[in-house]
Amino acid sequence: MRLRVEFTTEPFDLDEAPAHAVVAREVVQGAELDAVDVGPFGNTVEGRADAVLASVDTLLRESLAAGATRVSLQVNVIADADADAGPDAEGGR
């Protein structure tokens, strides 16, 4: 299974990235994820469910410890390209 997670940490600071946002960015950029998109008001990560869920656990723990007062998450199951390819993908299964 593959997952896509969109998340934001608060409180916002328009002048510079707060410590909790920096920590969140470092967590996802250092994780074994397939895609990471970090933006000023929202972030998206994508990958295998185990890797995504492990990074979300670390993200929550570390960003809250760094001063986040709110973390908003949206988790979506996304199509797995290998599963969609059928039994002939990767030489059959």
Side-chain angles (χ1 to χ4, degrees):
M1 178 186 322
R2 294 180 47 77
L3 299 175
R4 177 182 300 125
V5 173
E6 299 172 49
F7 70 92
T8 57
T9 61
E10 296 178 40
F12 296 115
D13 183 340
L14 298 178
D15 294 327
E16 65 181 78
H20 59 80
V22 173
V23 166
R25 178 176 54 226
E26 290 171 351
V27 166
V28 296
Q29 288 177 332
E32 294 183 26
L33 301 169
D34 298 335
V36 175
D37 182 21
V38 177
F41 298 107
N43 310 284
T44 304
V45 299
E46 217 174 273
R48 294 179 336 272
D50 59 338
V52 171
L53 294 172
S55 65
V56 167
D57 176 65
T58 304
L59 165 78
L60 290 170
R61 292 175 189 279
E62 293 190 15
S63 61
L64 292 170
T69 58
R70 177 179 178 143
V71 180
S72 300
L73 292 167
Q74 179 174 321
V75 180
N76 293 292
V77 176
I78 57 175
D80 186 336
D82 292 338
D84 292 343
D88 293 331
E90 298 178 18
R93 292 187 206 181

